[in-house]
């Protein structure tokens, strides 16, 4: 197991560090208890600032709740904890309704810095010393992407895209931004930091994955008519990052969550609706007829992830936000492994 | 100001509860002249309390907060306040204004911060399930707001008050009454502004901050015209209008916000009271208009038209019957409803109360409610009171009641698009309650106490959950078992120049969720419902010496869970707060002038009634109240 190996290496390194540090009058810290494992980003109840990060250790099934609060004397991350991105020794926690990105030590979760100059931020990706944060900005203005210098954590630039800037992915030195209140994907050149292309996709595009051929898949959640009836027009759109054109689209015949994940071999894409998870091979031209998993112990899924190391599917059940969420783990064939308790509204998984 | 002065209200409350406790009937009360709908008449066996706090500058939230069986989820100071009465949720308390349910038709609950006590006359609270008397929503309890009976030939009186408190609290109030042999008019005007820029140190933040964006403006008017045709009949018109604009207080971690909420509520009631061969007739027609605008989104509006007839007749010396019917039409203009939505509800009801002996009485009530194409469960209640002990200075009464309650699904539950489910069943509850009151009387000292215990089992509670289609939808999912004990002890010492009154209350409330969120879910079964403290207690004490009076209020609120699986790390810790107040009265001719000073949250306790929404620490207030001809008309 690679993870065991990693743990072993960490142990050895830590011992070495300890040895070195004992010679160096204790100036170096150990790497910390969160140097590997699974992090669950829990959104929390809107307007309650009770979003948290849970830590899950797959080796011993141990779960630690609210690791940020634990490491920072009970401090709260803020309202609507949306996502987390790890780059080097730092984790960047994006807190949507508190308009901030909390920078923490990725191994100890001690707070390092707070980036405040962002408006309704959603997700973050990093590239050559810069962080790119998607922002809704507001419900009546175009969203966009803020460029952050990771060295001094200052916001350098804001690039306007379209309403509800959401998902982010980098391919071919270009940043793709899905605009979730709209039906577009904006393409930003990472050299010029300008929008060089706007691609029409389905309604309410959300998250991206890249398949084994380097194609970009964006999941569009679908829309509602004037009477708020679902139009069942959720769909995958596949973008060729060479030409920035849509190569194919796969209608899903339903409104779905716009969160998605891809397996280790990058040939099966997972998405969900209600308490069902669907597996879509990248070669498919139509939506799967049946769900891979329908979880009778879930109220409704809210997140999906894939752990390349153990080759397992992770799915978070929000329990309708009235109780702690649950995270279910499955093998690729859909059989259940186990489940564990998270914070309120498990929203995203980060595998470290 | 709310905080600044809520000790005053508590003092009033002390008196009122004292009075109620005083009047715990040795034999049931002899009704003298009954008009309107006296809440307690047919509620034998139930716990009913009247709060005599008219004229106070506080919100209804704080008026009721002194009661240990009530918890308010307050989203900040003077912000949204929803009630949890005896361990139930916000939509399980019926709030009636002149006999008509004023819970928001769309949400089925009341924001108690929108009701300034200054504009209200009579406030009574009935504990426990009482749908047979008050219809839908009356599961945990009922709050009854009634226009006071008119009093003719009393001349003119008025009151002016001005209050000023910490953190930009200002309140101005005017009351004017006039009556001759035909007319009685009451006019009440109030204006309030609250800055709410209080400092706080929340553990979730770790350092002191000053609350931003939580200012509130409120004004309101209550206008009443009563016209007497004869000694036995009169016509009343009552218009109650309130306006409230608030900046929505952000959570402690957030510094900026631009969310606002504007509420405008108009309530009009035209009623006729008269005696006839049938008995005392009460006929009313009411109109309610609820306007609400969140930030800059399009406004929501609901309207309600109600007609009510109630006939109350004394059959014999100790036997009374009551019967009647009501019809309500709801109109809604909401973005997420079908345009031009209307909904109707009809109720028929009857009551009987009978005294078997001078020490034993019982009452029986029955109500059937119909809405659209559905019927609510038929709601009966039986209650009895037995004065088993009257010996020397001791009086004790045993009480028992059993009842059924229901809650008709709200307009949101049935018509919200997407997800609304017109086929939802009403929520249904069975309730039993028993208790005992005991009173000991000496010439200068009265001690009274009561113990009440209850069980309520409710099923088909409506729960909104994520549905497969990607949106949320309501279903009749939850089962709940609520039980608890309420203790009350009151002591009043009255001497010529000195009096001391002390009231202690304690409630234990167990509100058990009985149905897991999924078939195999055990983490939420038998858990305590959200925001229901197991323990609540309060002490209210007032001492009067000559024209001075001093009051102390201490209240304790136990730990509250915010998740249905009762995670300790996501709970709100218990807290206690104490308030002090000093009061001096000056009498001059027909004028009475009262000066007050108060300090609230003396120990500067940081506390929350809703997760991560700060409440003010120590704060001060000053008030001056001028009354002219106060004794001419009793309120």
């Amino acid at each position: 197991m690679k993870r065991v190996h990693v743990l072993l290496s960490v142990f050895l390194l830590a011992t070495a560090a300890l040895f070195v540090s004992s010679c160096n009058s204790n100036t170096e810290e150990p790497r910390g208890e969160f140097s590997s494992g699974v992090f669950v980003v829990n959104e929390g109840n809107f307007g309650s600032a009770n979003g948290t990060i849970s830590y899950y250790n797959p080796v011993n099934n141990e779960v630690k709740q609210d690791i940020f609060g634990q490491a920072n004397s009970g401090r709260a991350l803020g309202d609507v904890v949306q996502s987390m991105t790890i780059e080097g020794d730092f984790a960047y926690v994006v807190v949507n309704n508190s308009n901030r990105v909390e920078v923490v030590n990725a191994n100890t979760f001690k707070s390092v810095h707070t980036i405040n100059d962002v408006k309704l931020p959603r997700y973050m990706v990093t590239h050559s010393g810069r962080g790119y944060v998607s922002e809704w900005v507001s419900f009546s203005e175009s969203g966009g992407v803020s460029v952050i210098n990771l060295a001094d954590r200052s916001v350098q630039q804001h690039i306007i895209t379209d309403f509800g800037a959401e998902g982010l992915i980098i391919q071919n030195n270009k940043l793709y931004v899905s605009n979730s209140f709209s039906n577009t994907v904006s393409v930003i050149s990472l050299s010029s930091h300008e929008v060089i292309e706007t691609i029409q996709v389905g309604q309410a595009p959300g998250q991206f994955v890249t398949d084994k051929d380097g194609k970009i898949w964006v999941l569009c959640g679908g829309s509602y008519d004037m009477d708020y009836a679902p139009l069942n027009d959720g769909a995958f759109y596949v973008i060729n990052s060479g030409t920035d054109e849509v190569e194919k689209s796969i209608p899903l015949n339903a409104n779905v969550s716009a969160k998605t994940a891809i397996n280790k071999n990058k040939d099966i894409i997972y998405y969900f609706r209600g308490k069902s998870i669907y597996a879509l091979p990248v070669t498919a031209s139509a939506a799967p007829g049946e769900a891979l998993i329908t979880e009778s112990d879930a109220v409704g899924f809210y997140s999906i992830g894939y752990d390349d190391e153990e080759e397992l599917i992770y799915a978070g059940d929000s329990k309708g936000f009235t109780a702690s969420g649950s995270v279910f783990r499955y093998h690729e064939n859909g059989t259940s492994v186990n489940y564990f308790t998270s914070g309120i509204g498990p929203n995203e998984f980060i595998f470290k | 100001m709310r905080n600044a002065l809520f000790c005053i209200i508590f003092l009033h409350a002390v008196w009122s509860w004292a009075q109620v406790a005083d009047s715990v009937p040795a034999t049931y009360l002899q009704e003298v002249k009954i008009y309107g709908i006296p809440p307690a008449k047919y509620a034998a066996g139930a716990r009913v309390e009247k709060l005599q706090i008219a004229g106070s500058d506080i919100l209804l939230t704080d008026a009721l907060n002194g009661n240990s069986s009530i918890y308010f989820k307050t989203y900040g100071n003077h912000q949204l306040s929803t009630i949890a009465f005896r361990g139930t949720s916000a939509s399980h308390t019926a709030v009636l204004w002149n006999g008509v349910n004023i819970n928001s038709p769309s949400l089925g609950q009341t924001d108690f911060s929108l009701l300034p006590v200054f504009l209200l006359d009579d406030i009574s609270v009935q504990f426990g399930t009482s749908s047979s008397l008050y219809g839908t929503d009356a599961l945990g309890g009922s709050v009854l707001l009634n226009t006071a009976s008119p009093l003719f030939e009393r001349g003119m009186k008025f009151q002016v008050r001005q209050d000023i408190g910490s953190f930009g609290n200002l309140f101005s109030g005017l009351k004017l009454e006039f009556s001759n042999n035909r007319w009685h008019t009451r006019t009440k005007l109030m204006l309030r502004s609250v800055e709410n820029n209080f400092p706080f140190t929340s553990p979730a933040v770790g350092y002191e901050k000053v609350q931003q964006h939580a200012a509130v403006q409120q004004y309101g008017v209550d206008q009443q015209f009563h016209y007497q045709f004869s000694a036995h009949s009169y016509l009343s018109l009552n218009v109650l209008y309130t306006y409230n604009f608030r900046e929505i207080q952000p959570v402690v971690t957030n510094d900026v916000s631009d969310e606002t909420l504007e509420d405008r509520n108009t309530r009009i009631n035209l009623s006729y009271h008269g005696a006839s061969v049938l008995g005392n007739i009460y006929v009313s027609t009411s109109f309610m208009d609820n306007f609400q605008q969140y930030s800059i989104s399009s406004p929501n509006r609901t309207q309600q038209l109600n007609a009510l007839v109630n006939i109350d007749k004394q059959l014999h010396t100790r036997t009374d019957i009551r019967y009647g019917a009501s019809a309500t039409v709801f109109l809604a203009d909401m973005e997420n409803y079908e345009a031009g939505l209307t909904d109707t509800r009809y109720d028929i009801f009857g009551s009987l109360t009978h005294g078997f002996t001078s020490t034993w009485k019982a009452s029986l009530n029955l109500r059937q409610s119909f809405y659209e194409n559905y019927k609510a469960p038929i709601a009966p209640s039986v209650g009895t009171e037995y004065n088993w002990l009257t010996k020397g200075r001791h009086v004790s009464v045993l009480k028992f009641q059993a009842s059924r309650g229901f809650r008709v699904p709200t307009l949101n539950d049935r018509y919200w698009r997407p997800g609304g489910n017109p086929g939802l069943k009403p929520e249904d509850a069975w309730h039993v309650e028993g208790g005992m009151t005991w009173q000991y009387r000496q010439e200068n000292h009265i001690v009274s106490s009561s113990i009440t215990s209850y069980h309520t089992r409710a099923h088909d509670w409506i729960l909104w959950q994520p549905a497969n289609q990607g949106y949320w939808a309501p279903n009749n999912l939850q089962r709940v078992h609520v039980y608890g004990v309420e203790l009350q002890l009151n002591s009043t010492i009255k001497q010529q120049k000195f009096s001391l009154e002390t009231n202690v209350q304690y409630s234990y409330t167990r509100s058990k969720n009985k149905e897991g969120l999924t078939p195999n879910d055990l983490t939420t079964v038998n858990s305590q419902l959200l925001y229901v403290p197991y323990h609540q207690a309060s002490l209210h004490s007032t001492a009067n010496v000559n024209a001075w009076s001093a009051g102390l209020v201490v209240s304790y609120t136990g730990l509250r869970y915010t998740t249905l699986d009762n995670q300790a790390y996501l709970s709100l810790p218990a807290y206690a707060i104490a308030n002090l107040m000093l009061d001096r009265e000056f009498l001059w001719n027909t004028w009475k002038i009262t000066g007050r000073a108060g300090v609230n949250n003396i120990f500067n306790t940081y506390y929350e009634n809703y997760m991560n929404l700060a409440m003010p620490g120590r704060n001060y207030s000053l008030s001056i109240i001028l009354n002219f001809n106060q004794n001419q008309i009793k309120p």
Side-chain angles (χ1 to χ4, degrees), chain B residues 39-198:
Chain B
K41 186 175 172 186
Y42 294 95
R47 188 176 164 199
V48 185
E49 290 179 1
K50 186 169 177 179
L51 282 69
Q52 280 166 4
I53 48 170
S56 166
D57 67 316
I58 57 165
L59 299 173
L60 189 55
T61 318
D62 304 310
L64 299 172
N65 230 341
N67 195 297
S68 63
S69 295
I70 293 174
Y71 177 76
F72 277 99
K73 226 157 66 165
T74 45
Y75 292 62
N77 189 35
H78 277 95
Q79 299 282 333
L80 171 67
S81 307
T82 61
I83 195 168
F85 200 147
R86 274 189 175 173
T88 56
S89 61
S91 47
H92 297 119
T93 297
V95 182
L96 273 64
W97 181 69
N98 287 314
V100 183
N101 190 318
I102 57 167
N103 277 336
S104 151
S106 51
L107 279 170
Q109 49 186 252
T110 290
D111 177 356
F112 282 76
S113 71
L114 301 181
L115 289 163
V117 165
F118 192 81
L119 300 179
L120 305 171
D121 289 351
D122 292 346
I123 303 168
S124 300
V125 171
Q126 180 162 338
F127 294 66
T129 303
S130 50
S131 287
S132 61
L133 285 168
Y134 310 119
T136 183
D137 310 341
L139 264 60
S142 304
V143 176
L144 313 165
L145 312 171
N146 285 308
T147 302
S149 299
L151 293 161
F152 298 95
E153 288 188 90
R154 302 293 174 99
M156 194 264 276
K157 73 165 186 178
F158 71 82
Q159 182 192 79
V160 185
R161 71 177 293 161
Q162 179 62 49
D163 307 78
I164 178 165
S166 309
F167 316 127
N169 276 279
L170 283 172
F171 179 93
S172 312
L174 170 74
K175 272 187 197 184
L176 182 64
E177 292 198 43
F178 173 79
S179 86
N180 62 20
N181 60 343
R182 282 287 170 221
W183 290 93
H184 179 190
T185 66
R186 286 191 187 105
T187 305
K188 298 174 226 162
L189 295 163
M190 59 75 61
L191 177 65
R192 181 200 313 276
S193 62
V194 187
E195 207 53 58
N196 264 335
N197 50 352
F198 54 88

Side-chain angles (χ1 to χ4, degrees), chain B residues 23-32 40 361:
Chain B
S23 66
V24 164
T27 57
Y28 59 89
L29 286 170
Q30 193 68 39
E31 283 88 14
V32 187
K361 82 174 221 179

Side-chain angles (χ1 to χ4, degrees), chain B residues 383-405:
Chain B
T384 186
E385 291 180 20
Y386 176 54
N387 174 10
W388 68 282
L389 175 72
T390 307
K391 195 175 175 185
R393 299 176 184 277
H394 298 270
V395 175
S396 180
V397 177
L398 287 168
K399 295 178 167 195
F400 173 81
Q401 70 154 350
S403 61
R404 189 184 195 184

Side-chain angles (χ1 to χ4, degrees), chain A residues 45-50 52 54 65-66 73-79 97-100 140 224 226-230 255 273-276 296-300 317-324 341-344, chain B residues 75 203-206 209 251-256 259 294 296 335-337 417-418 463-472 517-521 523-524 530-531 562-565 567 569-570 610-613:
Chain A
N45 297 104
F46 179 84
S48 294
N50 57 0
T52 57
S54 308
Q65 305 296 356
D66 190 18
S73 337
R75 261 186 65 196
L77 278 162
D79 200 25
N97 200 39
S98 291
N99 297 316
R100 69 172 60 142
S140 53
Y224 293 84
M226 295 285 283
D227 292 330
Y228 300 93
N255 280 20
R273 173 174 188 256
K275 42 192 179 182
S276 297
S296 60
D297 286 335
V299 173
D317 174 17
S318 73
K319 305 267 191 221
F321 292 83
T322 55
S324 303
T341 300
S342 66
I344 300 172
Chain B
Y75 292 62
V205 176
K209 284 173 84 165
V251 284
V252 292
T253 53
N254 289 12
D255 299 317
V256 289
E259 292 175 290
Y294 167 75
I296 50 164
E335 201 183 320
N336 283 75
Y337 294 172
R417 297 184 307 181
L463 192 64
W464 282 74
Q465 285 193 325
N468 261 347
Q469 296 84 345
Y471 47 75
W472 289 54
L517 292 171
T518 52
N520 295 320
D521 170 31
T523 62
T524 61
L530 313 191
Y531 290 102
T562 68
T563 55
L564 200 53
D565 57 337
Q567 290 284 358
Y569 80 100
L570 294 167
Y610 188 82
M611 183 165 247
N612 287 324
L613 288 168

Side-chain angles (χ1 to χ4, degrees), chain B residues 58-60 97 102 110-120 145 171 188-192 216-223 238-246 261-268 287-293 301:
Chain B
I58 57 165
L59 299 173
L60 189 55
W97 181 69
I102 57 167
T110 290
D111 177 356
F112 282 76
S113 71
L114 301 181
L115 289 163
V117 165
F118 192 81
L119 300 179
L120 305 171
L145 312 171
F171 179 93
K188 298 174 226 162
L189 295 163
M190 59 75 61
L191 177 65
R192 181 200 313 276
V216 179
Q217 274 89 44
Q218 187 177 57
Y219 61 82
V221 56
D222 183 55
Q223 178 62 54
N238 192 351
V239 179
L240 173 63
Y241 174 79
T242 52
Y243 170 90
N244 193 79
F245 180 84
R246 66 171 62 121
L261 191 69
E262 179 183 339
D263 280 278
R264 290 184 235 153
N265 296 90
T266 310
R267 299 178 171 114
I268 302 171
F287 171 74
M288 323 275 174
D289 182 274
N290 309 303
F291 171 96
Q292 188 175 63
Q293 180 158 23
R301 188 165 210 153

